[in-house]
Amino acid sequence: MNNTDDKATLLVVDDDQDLLQALSRSLRKERTRWDMTFVDSPEDALTILDGFSVDLLISDVRMSERDGMSLLVEARERCPHLQVILMTGMPDIDAAIEAIKAGAAYYLTKPIDHDKLITVIEDALSHRKQPLSGGQAAGLRQLRTPRLIGGYRIVRPISEGNMGSVFLATKEVDGQPQEFALKLLKLSSSPAEAREAACQRFTREAEIAFQMEHPNIISLCEYGIAMQDQVPYMVMDYFPGVTLDQYISERPRIDHKLCLNILLQLAGALTEVHRHVLCHRDLKAENVLIDGAGHIKLIDFGVAKITNSSLTQTGMVVGTPSYLAPEWLSNQPEVDHRADLFSFGVLAYQFAVGVLPFEADTLPALIRKIVREVPISPTTIEPSVPAGLDRLILRLLAKDPNDRPADACAVADELLLIRSGMQGSEY
């Protein structure tokens, strides 16, 4: 989402993470013409509407915090110009009529066809081509007034996560405006005890990130509490890249020399991480940024495990299931840095052949595959994968941590050998 006049801004709300991710994937190709933010909480949606100009709100009807009709009414009260599309898995004619009366442009039934969704969005956004009245223009200017957090001027949202929201922000440094990434903790309507635990995790993430010094780890500039809003925040260097999963999905074929160079950068970053924490625990393609020159930055230490940390107790499974090591999923008493090497192997597999090594329709089935099944070798899917890389990936994905490389530094050494063996050859 941005605040320019030439690009429509969309805000999508659904408290079902799977459906939200499905919508994100469905609309990914439209990012060149629409600026989109995806949130899983109606309260977060209202917060964004308070601070930014939004042209179209797309919301689920049935949500736990509040229903879509209630959100529609309040959103339209705050932003009269706002177009709204409601989605439902339980269609009802009377409800649809009430939604249209309340100001919804469309009332769509799930599962939503991609082409129909695009057509509906285009139609709902057609109002942007019409001149604004004086009152509408004044309201729009008011919405576009940036907010200040900790002395940083928020420009637009960048991404949305379970724990926090990341915004592009600016601040004058030595008389010149400089861009930063500002992360705010999401507290919303959580109970007091949960909010306190979230604040502790957020602060700990900032403390961990502040220790890291590596060219492939995002640099933390400062962290604290925004006194006006009493919201924990951290400020990082702004890195104008895309997530690695988006990078992979947009390329039908990955150059394996480029793949090796990126994996080498990531292995170096992971080596630095393990100097400070026992385990990152959420190493995945979504937590790696890459720019057009092939440089990467590792981000997000929100679930990193520190030795003897009460916030990451043994038996607590956190992270993204497809990337989790078997020892996490089988509740083994001792889990160390080698669990991250398994996640590294999943990411390397994904990068080398474009698909994940373990996929299933349900979470229990996925867990069974990760714990019990040997993945198909990368060269079986893509014969051009270097043999050395194929062997390394399968070792990283070993069920027994003792069968994996010793550490990230050892992985980097092997990647260097594989790359040197490719010099002067096609692959």
Side-chain angles (χ1 to χ4, degrees), residues 376-396:
I376 300 171
S377 70
T379 51
T380 299
I381 300 173
E382 178 51 70
S384 67
V385 175
L389 181 58
D390 180 87
R391 290 191 295 268
L392 175 58
I393 289 173
L394 292 178
R395 286 178 57 219
L396 288 162

Side-chain angles (χ1 to χ4, degrees), residues 1-11 30-37 53-56 121 125-128 144:
M1 183 181 298
N2 65 28
N3 289 333
T4 58
D5 291 333
D6 61 341
K7 200 172 183 183
T9 57
L10 278 60
L11 177 60
E30 310 299 329
R31 291 185 184 276
T32 56
R33 58 176 179 154
W34 301 328
D35 224 337
M36 293 173 279
T37 295
S53 172
V54 175
D55 297 297
L56 175 62
I121 291 174
L125 290 173
S126 63
H127 76 284
R128 297 181 76 246
R144 288 182 179 175

Side-chain angles (χ1 to χ4, degrees), residues 259-335:
C259 174
L260 283 168
N261 288 335
I262 289 170
L263 292 177
L264 269 167
Q265 295 178 64
L266 186 58
L270 197 56
T271 298
E272 171 67 8
V273 169
H274 289 161
R275 288 182 59 241
H276 301 279
V277 298
L278 181 64
C279 197
H280 183 283
R281 301 214 299 183
D282 202 18
L283 183 62
K284 58 183 179 179
E286 292 92 331
N287 281 341
V288 180
L289 299 178
I290 180 170
D291 66 12
H295 301 133
I296 68 132
K297 296 280 187 181
L298 178 62
I299 61 173
D300 204 337
F301 299 91
V303 295
K305 181 176 182 179
I306 307 174
T307 305
N308 298 326
S309 171
S310 62
L311 290 174
T312 51
Q313 301 167 0
T314 300
M316 183 187 297
V317 177
V318 292
T320 304
S322 295
Y323 294 83
L324 285 177
E327 54 265 39
W328 281 123
L329 299 171
S330 55
N331 288 325
Q332 294 185 19
E334 296 295 333
V335 179

Side-chain angles (χ1 to χ4, degrees), residues 326 367-374 399:
I367 292 173
R368 282 194 298 272
K369 284 190 173 186
I370 293 174
V371 173
R372 300 175 185 174
E373 294 187 10
V374 176
K399 308 301 182 188

Side-chain angles (χ1 to χ4, degrees), residues 226-277:
M227 299 309 294
Q228 180 179 355
D229 301 286
Q230 288 296 297
V231 176
Y233 73 95
M234 65 178 77
V235 181
M236 299 158 283
D237 285 344
Y238 175 61
F239 184 72
V242 299
T243 59
L244 196 55
D245 66 319
Q246 181 179 343
Y247 184 88
I248 294 170
S249 69
E250 292 173 352
R251 286 159 177 78
R253 180 182 174 86
I254 295 293
D255 178 271
H256 296 302
K257 291 182 180 178
L258 173 63
C259 174
L260 283 168
N261 288 335
I262 289 170
L263 292 177
L264 269 167
Q265 295 178 64
L266 186 58
L270 197 56
T271 298
E272 171 67 8
V273 169
H274 289 161
R275 288 182 59 241
H276 301 279
V277 298

Side-chain angles (χ1 to χ4, degrees), residues 171-236:
K171 185 177 184 179
E172 282 200 4
V173 178
D174 297 328
Q176 297 295 323
Q178 188 170 329
E179 292 183 326
F180 298 89
L182 187 147
K183 184 173 183 178
L184 292 177
L185 177 63
K186 289 167 62 175
L187 294 176
S188 62
S189 57
S190 303
E193 185 176 339
R195 288 199 301 272
E196 183 179 354
C199 286
Q200 290 179 27
R201 285 184 182 276
F202 191 86
T203 302
R204 193 201 57 189
E205 178 188 358
E207 291 170 346
I208 292 171
F210 210 71
Q211 300 174 52
M212 306 289 177
E213 291 186 16
H214 192 276
N216 299 119
I217 296 177
I218 204 74
S219 296
L220 180 68
C221 304
E222 66 172 271
Y223 63 96
I225 303 291
M227 299 309 294
Q228 180 179 355
D229 301 286
Q230 288 296 297
V231 176
Y233 73 95
M234 65 178 77
V235 181
M236 299 158 283

